[in-house]
Amino acid sequence: MAAAVEDVRDLSRADSLAREIFSGIANKWALLIINVLGERTLRFSELRTGIEVISHKMLTQNLRMLERDGLVERTVHPTVPPRVEYTLTQPGQALRGMVNGMCGWTRQYFGHIEASRRRFDA
């Protein structure tokens, strides 16, 4: 039984749940949603405004995936029309810490990467 649990957590296995989760959260839209939500609660329209050029469909798909994985909580308020809000859960906040680290890394090495690309593409 222990071997089966380890298999689903093994990122190197193509059929592992861990790899599926990693693939989902490693896409550009999920990272941006997590970054924009931060410590706030936002409505769908506020999220869409905060992430330039994301389509309604793509935002919906990514929010559903993040909600399914327990990283985002969706709250529907019984108003007319219904008011729907999104917020990061505790695991989502923990992931946000790593996303912020990646953003900091990008800012720190942006010039280096940009110069390397210019050399490579020349």
Side-chain angles (χ1 to χ4, degrees), residues 27-38:
N27 82 65
K28 68 179 178 181
W29 297 123
L31 293 174
L32 288 170
I33 290 167
I34 290 165
N35 189 49
V36 169
L37 270 175

Side-chain angles (χ1 to χ4, degrees), residues 15-122:
D15 62 344
S16 77
L17 177 59
R19 190 163 173 179
E20 180 185 326
I21 293 166
F22 184 76
S23 178
I25 61 174
N27 82 65
K28 68 179 178 181
W29 297 123
L31 293 174
L32 288 170
I33 290 167
I34 290 165
N35 189 49
V36 169
L37 270 175
E39 296 179 11
R40 302 174 295 171
T41 297
L42 296 175
R43 296 178 74 171
F44 185 92
S45 59
E46 294 171 313
L47 272 168
R48 190 151 181 221
T49 300
I51 304 170
E52 293 184 21
V53 305
I54 191 169
S55 69
H56 186 281
K57 178 182 176 182
M58 195 54 60
L59 181 55
T60 299
Q61 286 176 347
N62 278 272
L63 283 168
R64 286 182 182 161
M65 181 266 307
L66 291 167
E67 183 182 8
R68 179 176 182 243
D69 288 344
L71 302 173
V72 167
E73 183 178 308
R74 179 178 182 260
T75 304
V76 180
H77 298 277
T79 59
V80 178
R83 182 170 49 104
V84 181
E85 296 177 326
Y86 298 90
T87 191
L88 292 177
T89 62
Q90 184 179 357
Q93 284 291 345
L95 179 58
R96 181 176 164 256
M98 289 180 243
V99 170
N100 287 345
M102 290 172 52
C103 291
W105 175 88
T106 302
R107 283 189 287 278
Q108 181 177 351
Y109 292 104
F110 185 85
H112 171 82
I113 293 168
E114 190 176 43
S116 182
R117 285 182 174 190
R118 277 195 305 270
R119 285 190 306 273
F120 186 86
D121 293 341

